[in-house]
């Protein structure tokens, strides 16, 4: 919180502003006591405490029913399962209210207690039918419903900086707007699309690959494929696949740094481009790649287990990650198209991955669709656009997207020959599943 306040103060000294919007990652939360004080620091979803809780819950309520109720991919890190772990390990005796991360930060600035809809849709506790907290689901999980705050829409004014914050930071009573609290939804709004039929790929630590829909898709097929229905601006449904993304690059970079080897992202891309090793592939969503640690070692063990060439050089390891992510995007494209019955002519790749030429070209090659890359800071654009619409300076998502597109130089990657590695990946995954 100290860093956030420092940033707000420095930004105002450079260019005074009238509104603040906060977006973060999904699923994590903070707990307030009866006096409104934070009980403890929030715990990150990569903490293993909720491991196995999805399976435990689905033993009492079927996975099919849970998906029908929430439309959310069933995965241990979701808030529902984190709270079940909290229930069993520490309980809720001192907790009076739970707030998702962006709403927690807004509360610490304004004192307003609420949950913005897009971030609420990541919890696996929001009803896909009613758009309200699913009280029957909460009862089945033995989570007190009164812990959850009122849900507000994206674009709602969330109060102003408290007197204490104003005094401490020497700031005026600046408004805080509940933008799409889930960063993915800010990025989806900023994708400079021109047609209703499109795929957006928000490529950062996670890769979120999907499309927009007016209504949730709750079919058994969608459930079996692990697709999620999340809520964006103006209650637009984003039907998407959650994929481990540049986390694999970032954590490999950190592991090498721990070993005394320093590589910038530009150097990583060049190493992968010039790798001469025999190609190999992993399933990025294999559970071994989720926790922090020795990602290069895990990649090598995965390749051994699936009878593939084992990448020995740093360049080969990074090349394996790039190829595997692009192949996973191809798989996600096929799944989304199978569930929607649509064919999508173009992929809009936004987020940090839009700066990576190798990843963009491989995505175009594997998906056999043009990839339009940029903006890299899509989340920031989307956040700002919602604030501008909230104060009437912009009037629609369409206008916002047009403005964002005009502010960026887009790069189009045309698909080339379909890579043979696709078939090797399929064989590797099948061997791993056996």
């Amino acid at each position: 919180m100290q860093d956030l306040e420092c940033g707000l103060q420095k930004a105002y000294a450079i260019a005074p502003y009238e509104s603040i919007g906060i977006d973060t990652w999904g699923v994590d939360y903070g707990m307030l006591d009866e006096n409104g004080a934070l009980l403890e620091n929030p715990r990150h979803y990569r903490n293993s405490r909720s491991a196995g809780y999805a399976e435990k819950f689905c033993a009492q309520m079927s996975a099919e029913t849970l998906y029908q109720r929430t439309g959310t991919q069933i995965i241990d890190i979701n808030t529902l399962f984190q709270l079940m772990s909290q229930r069993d390990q520490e309980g809720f005796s001192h907790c009076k209210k739970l707030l998702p991360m962006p709403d927690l930060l807004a509360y610490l600035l304004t004192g307003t207690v609420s949950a913005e809809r897009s971030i609420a849709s990541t919890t696996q506790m929001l009803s896909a039918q009613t758009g309200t907290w699913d009280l029957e689901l909460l009862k089945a999980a033995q989570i007190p419903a009164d812990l959850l705050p009122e849900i507000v829409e994206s674009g709602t004014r969330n109060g102003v900086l408290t007197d204490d914050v104003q005094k401490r930071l020497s700031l005026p009573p600046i408004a805080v707007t509940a933008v799409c609290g889930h960063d993915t939804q800010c990025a989806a709004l900023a994708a400079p699309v021109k047609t209703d039929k499109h795929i957006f790929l928000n490529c950062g630590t996670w890769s979120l690959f999907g499309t927009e829909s007016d209504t949730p898709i709750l079919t058994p097929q969608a459930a079996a494929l692990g697709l999620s229905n999340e809520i964006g601006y103006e209650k637009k449904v984003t039907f998407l696949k959650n994929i481990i993304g540049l986390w694999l690059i970032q954590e490999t970079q950190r592991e090498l740094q721990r070993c005394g080897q320093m590589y910038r992202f530009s150097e990583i891309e060049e190493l992968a481009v010039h790798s001469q090793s025999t190609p190999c592939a992993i399933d990025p969503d294999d559970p071994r790649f989720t926790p922090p640690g020795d990602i290069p070692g895990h990649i090598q063990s995965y390749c051994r287990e699936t009878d593939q060439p084992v990448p020995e050089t740093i360049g080969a390891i990074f090349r394996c990650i790039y190829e595997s992510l692009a192949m996973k995007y191809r798989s996600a494209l096929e799944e989304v198209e199978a569930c929607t019955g649509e064919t999508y002519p173009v992929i809009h790749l936004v987020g940090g991955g839009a700066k990576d030429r190798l990843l963009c070209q491989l995505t175009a090659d594997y998906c056999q669709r043009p990839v339009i890359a940029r903006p890299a800071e899509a989340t920031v654009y989307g956040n700002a656009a919602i604030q501008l619409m909230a104060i009437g300076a912009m009037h629609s998502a369409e206008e916002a997207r047009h403005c964002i597109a005009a502010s960026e130089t887009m790069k189009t990657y045309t698909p080339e020959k379909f890579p043979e590695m696709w078939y090797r990946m399929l064989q590797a995954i099948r061997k791993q599943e056996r």
Side-chain angles (χ1 to χ4, degrees):
M1 190 62 192
Q2 183 178 0
D3 289 342
L4 173 61
E5 291 189 348
C6 180
L8 292 173
Q9 192 174 41
K10 288 183 177 180
Y12 194 85
I14 296 171
Y17 49 86
E18 300 178 7
S19 176
I20 297 167
I22 302 173
D23 64 77
T24 74
W25 65 96
V27 307
D28 289 345
Y29 60 89
M31 300 183 295
L32 305 179
D33 67 15
E34 61 183 4
N35 298 315
L38 188 63
L39 278 171
E40 62 178 29
N41 286 334
R43 304 187 194 186
H44 196 269
Y45 62 81
R46 293 192 194 275
N47 183 306
S48 62
R49 63 177 180 152
S50 60
Y53 271 88
E55 184 178 357
K56 289 181 183 179
F57 186 77
C58 290
Q60 65 182 92
M61 177 184 288
S62 72
E64 293 79 9
T65 300
L66 180 56
Y67 189 83
Q68 278 285 323
R69 297 185 77 103
T70 65
T72 306
Q73 177 191 12
I74 301 170
I75 184 171
D76 282 333
I77 66 174
N78 289 347
T79 315
L80 173 66
F81 308 121
Q82 289 197 51
L83 290 176
M84 290 177 63
S85 169
Q86 177 78 34
R87 176 202 68 195
D88 290 348
Q89 297 175 31
E90 291 93 4
F92 300 108
S93 59
H94 300 293
C95 179
K96 296 303 178 183
K97 200 63 69 176
L98 292 163
L99 292 178
M101 287 305 299
D103 302 300
L104 174 64
L105 296 174
Y107 163 78
L108 295 173
L109 291 176
T110 67
T112 300
V113 175
S114 62
E116 184 275 328
R117 183 171 298 282
S118 76
I119 202 72
S121 74
T122 71
T123 64
Q124 197 132 57
M125 298 186 293
L126 193 71
S127 169
Q129 285 75 31
T130 67
T132 59
W133 297 119
D134 189 325
L135 301 183
E136 291 184 17
L137 179 61
L138 293 171
K139 184 177 180 180
Q142 300 176 47
I143 297 169
D146 60 2
L147 295 182
L148 300 178
E150 173 192 4
I151 296 171
V152 300
E153 306 303 331
S154 178
T156 301
R157 180 165 164 157
N158 224 5
V160 298
L161 300 182
T162 64
D163 292 341
D164 286 345
V165 172
Q166 291 177 48
K167 183 177 180 180
R168 187 164 60 250
L169 303 184
S170 300
L171 293 176
I174 296 169
V176 177
T177 301
V179 298
C180 285
H182 190 200
D183 52 7
T184 296
Q185 303 307 328
C186 284
L189 174 66
V193 301
K194 297 180 180 179
T195 62
D196 291 336
K197 293 182 181 181
H198 68 276
I199 289 287
F200 70 87
L201 169 53
N202 182 24
C203 186
T205 301
W206 285 83
S207 292
L208 294 308
F209 189 105
T211 189
E212 290 184 339
S213 172
D214 291 326
T215 57
I217 299 173
L218 305 173
T219 61
Q221 182 184 33
L225 293 172
L227 291 155
S228 273
N229 295 269
E230 298 180 5
I231 309 301
Y233 184 67
E234 294 182 325
K235 298 185 180 180
K236 198 79 171 177
V237 176
T238 52
F239 182 63
L240 56 82
K241 183 86 169 186
N242 288 285
I243 302 167
I244 291 288
L246 298 179
W247 162 259
L248 295 170
I249 297 286
Q250 296 159 356
E251 190 60 18
T252 298
Q253 182 192 48
R254 281 188 285 269
E255 178 64 17
L256 293 172
Q257 183 176 344
R258 288 189 282 266
C259 297
Q261 302 178 67
M262 311 293 289
Y263 292 96
R264 296 189 299 270
F265 287 116
S266 58
E267 293 173 318
I268 287 171
E269 183 183 1
E270 285 302 308
L271 285 169
V273 167
H274 296 295
S275 173
Q276 300 298 316
S277 298
T278 303
C280 52
I282 60 170
D283 178 1
D285 290 327
D286 187 286
R288 77 187 76 189
F289 300 121
T290 300
D294 184 11
I295 297 296
H298 294 325
I299 289 173
Q300 290 171 329
S301 65
Y302 185 101
C303 291
R304 289 190 193 99
E305 292 168 16
T306 52
D307 299 323
Q308 297 184 81
V310 177
E312 300 293 347
T313 68
I314 295 170
I317 289 169
F318 282 122
R319 182 72 186 209
C320 176
I321 293 172
Y322 279 114
E323 295 270 1
S324 301
L325 286 175
M327 286 187 275
K328 195 72 175 184
Y329 301 154
R330 165 63 183 246
S331 177
L333 175 64
E334 291 182 348
E335 292 172 358
V336 170
E337 291 188 336
C339 290
T340 63
E342 300 284 358
T343 299
Y344 301 96
V346 65
I347 296 171
H348 290 273
L349 197 159
V350 301
K355 296 185 288 187
D356 196 311
R357 294 167 295 174
L358 176 60
L359 182 60
C360 292
Q361 186 60 56
L362 287 173
T363 301
D365 293 344
Y366 277 103
C367 294
Q368 287 295 290
R369 308 291 160 83
V371 169
I372 300 176
R374 296 287 196 273
E377 298 297 339
T379 298
V380 176
Y381 273 123
N383 183 317
I386 294 171
Q387 293 185 68
L388 290 168
M389 287 187 281
I391 64 174
M394 281 185 175
H395 300 95
S396 68
E398 182 181 9
E399 179 185 351
R401 284 171 166 165
H402 179 80
C403 180
I404 291 166
S407 302
E408 286 279 331
T409 301
M410 303 296 168
K411 170 69 173 174
T412 299
Y413 295 83
T414 302
E416 298 174 358
K417 183 181 178 181
F418 184 71
E420 294 296 325
M421 269 298 297
W422 168 249
Y423 305 104
R424 182 173 294 173
M425 178 189 179
L426 294 181
Q427 292 173 352
I429 291 175
R430 286 168 186 156
K431 286 181 181 178
Q432 190 65 26
E433 288 174 346
R434 290 198 296 267

